């Protein structure tokens, strides 16, 4: 009997190393000892799946806002105030995001109008060493989180533009832990930071600008 | 201006230790070194929030089924086959679960009819040492996960009966890591295993039997 639809995709490895694999766990242990997964604990406490195919940007923001313990000031379900991806509609109509996804600029707007602060960095305005410094700084703290906008094709993954938060950094391997919000497709995985930079340094056809 | 609803609850500590606190991280590091958070990596990759107030049992099962990479054989959204709490309706009508929650027995039924295997243990049929052995065995492996049914009141938490999966064990402190699925209320936390046993060893008024 044929079953309709798809059950996950095989994670192309290399370049990725699955977080829950032996090697992925070893990287995590080493990064933990080195102090560059400090932000992981709060962020993973609110790890979630994007609820719609084009909600990767919204699920990414929702995780970070919950991890930073920002009160949305409005209820989600029952009496509870809580961020979910389907509640983030202040910069762009949700129906438009459902159809077309969301741009780098709108993601920054959405964080701000929900009570967060944003330092936006684009690949055509800084260099990979600046990016690495920010990744190290944020993964070593609990007060900020790095989210990235990138093209999946650079990692040999299916799909195009995608957003996800970064959960950690491994200095020895120069790799970042991507907490992929499309968990029905790919599990969380480590990716070489220079390759992530390359994936960020691609043109978003929706805006004609560099993506990340 | 008053804001409607509730923004989380303060986690009563003791007896709980928040996972993302300094002490919680330290416990995690030690448990990682001891090999009793092996199942954590797969399980946390699919950590989710219960989507309805009475869906704690369903969200718990959904996490475990995704962590075990069981194919649901039916689609969730778009082309993707994936478990979400709102898809688990084979043993009890979803509307009934939404109103009344789900019992220990129905949770076991739901796992089986979705392709998982269950070893069910109840507090009136075994002793705390047996429970500890199972927790150690499952947290040291990736092939099984422990889910628990317990009364929150024993932890000084608000609410009554609750389900959540266990993400790890710390032998020195004899504590378990509860990946609470009601994340809008309490973050994941460590709890003394004997206290969890006590919370499991309470009567579920819906069935008149011991809960866990």
């Amino acid at each position: 009997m044929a079953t309709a639809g798809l059950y996950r995709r095989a994670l192309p490895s290399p370049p990725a190393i699955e977080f829950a694999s032996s090697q992925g766990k070893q990287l995590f242990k080493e990064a933990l000892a080195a102090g560059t997964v400090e932000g992981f604990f709060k962020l993973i406490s609110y790890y979630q799946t994007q609820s719609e195919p084009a909600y990767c940007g919204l699920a990414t923001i929702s995780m970070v806002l919950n991890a930073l313990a920002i009160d949305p000031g409005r209820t989600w379900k029952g009496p509870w105030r809580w961020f979910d991806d389907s509640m983030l509609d202040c910069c762009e109509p949700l129906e438009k995001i459902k159809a077309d996804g969301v741009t780098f600029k709108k993601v920054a707007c959405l964080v701000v109008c929900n009570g967060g602060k944003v330092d936006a960095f684009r690949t055509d305005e800084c260099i990979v060493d600046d990016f690495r410094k920010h990744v190290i700084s944020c993964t070593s703290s609990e007060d900020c989180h790095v989210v990235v906008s990138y093209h999946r094709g650079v990692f040999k993954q299916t799909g195009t533009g995608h957003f996800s938060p970064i959960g950690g950094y491994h200095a020895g391997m120069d790799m970042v832990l991507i907490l992929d919000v499309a968990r029905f497709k790919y599990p969380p995985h480590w990716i070489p930071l220079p390759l992530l930079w390359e994936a960020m340094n691609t043109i978003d056809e929706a805006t004609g600008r560099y993506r990340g």
Side-chain angles (χ1 to χ4, degrees), chain A:
Chain A
M1 196 183 77
T3 308
L6 293 166
Y7 187 66
R8 307 190 185 182
R9 296 277 192 192
L11 182 70
S13 179
I17 296 171
E18 187 178 342
F19 170 63
S21 68
S22 307
Q23 208 187 341
K25 285 181 183 179
Q26 186 56 35
L27 290 178
F28 182 82
K29 269 187 201 175
E30 292 165 5
L32 182 62
T36 49
V37 288
E38 285 304 306
F40 170 87
F41 293 83
K42 280 269 163 66
L43 200 54
I44 207 75
S45 297
Y46 305 103
Y47 196 10
Q48 70 173 90
T49 306
Q50 60 183 85
S51 69
E52 293 285 338
Y55 276 9
C56 53
L58 301 187
T60 296
I61 299 170
S62 170
M63 277 178 65
V64 170
L65 293 170
N66 284 325
L68 292 172
I70 293 174
D71 181 344
R74 58 196 188 279
T75 54
W76 163 64
K77 290 187 184 183
W80 301 102
R81 300 199 300 271
W82 170 255
F83 280 109
D84 192 32
D85 55 3
S86 58
M87 289 166 59
L88 303 173
D89 60 352
C90 48
C91 296
E92 187 91 293
L94 215 47
E95 284 309 309
K96 187 172 179 335
I97 297 178
K98 202 181 264 190
D100 304 327
V102 67
T103 63
F104 180 96
K105 207 171 161 182
K106 294 284 180 186
V107 160
C109 171
L110 277 159
V111 174
V112 172
C113 78
N114 282 290
K117 288 181 196 162
V118 174
D119 286 327
F121 302 97
R122 309 194 67 133
T123 54
D124 56 352
E125 292 167 356
C126 59
I127 59 170
V128 64
D129 291 339
D130 299 327
F131 175 60
R132 187 181 290 106
K133 271 180 206 157
H134 288 294
V135 167
I136 292 170
S137 164
C138 278
T139 55
S140 306
S141 112
E142 294 182 345
D143 305 325
C144 62
H145 299 284
V146 175
V147 311
V148 284
S149 164
Y150 60 98
H151 195 292
R152 282 192 184 277
V154 177
F155 305 156
K156 301 181 192 166
Q157 297 175 358
T158 66
T160 56
H162 192 54
F163 287 90
S164 281
I166 287 181
Y169 175 69
H170 187 291
M173 297 279 282
D174 197 21
M175 290 182 99
V176 292
L177 175 59
I178 296 187
L179 299 179
D180 200 319
V181 291
R183 302 190 290 183
F184 46 81
K185 185 175 179 180
Y186 295 117
H189 50 271
W190 295 93
I191 280 284
L193 183 141
L195 200 64
L196 173 57
W197 177 259
E198 196 184 308
M200 291 157 61
N201 195 27
T202 48
I203 301 288
D204 181 355
E205 288 171 12
T207 60
R209 281 206 65 179
Y210 284 101
R211 192 177 305 278

